[in-house]
Amino acid sequence: MALYLCIAASVRRGIINETERLRYELSQHSLSEGFQLEGLGTLIELMSTTIKIIQFR
């Protein structure tokens, strides 16, 4: 089971995956295993098929 993070909020806070690491030409990524960066399209799709959404502020 993957844990999804908003890609825009994550990048602002310095949490990046391998793809973003290459895009920003950084030396390493900071996303822990089991997490996945996704955008709004994925959020909307998942909202239509899930029972519960947890949001942290």
Side-chain angles (χ1 to χ4, degrees):
M1 180 172 107
L3 298 170
Y4 298 101
L5 300 174
C6 172
I7 190 168
S10 296
V11 169
R12 276 196 306 265
R13 290 165 176 81
I15 302 170
I16 57 170
N17 60 7
E18 185 64 23
T19 304
E20 296 302 310
R21 181 194 74 80
L22 294 171
R23 178 178 176 199
Y24 292 106
E25 299 177 353
L26 298 171
S27 61
Q28 61 188 13
H29 66 87
S30 57
L31 188 66
S32 293
E33 192 173 318
F35 289 89
Q36 190 171 326
L37 298 181
E38 293 293 340
L40 287 175
T42 302
L43 174 63
I44 292 168
E45 181 181 332
L46 291 172
M47 285 175 66
S48 67
T49 61
T50 190
I51 297 170
K52 184 187 284 186
I53 297 173
I54 300 173
Q55 176 182 355
F56 299 96
R57 293 180 188 237

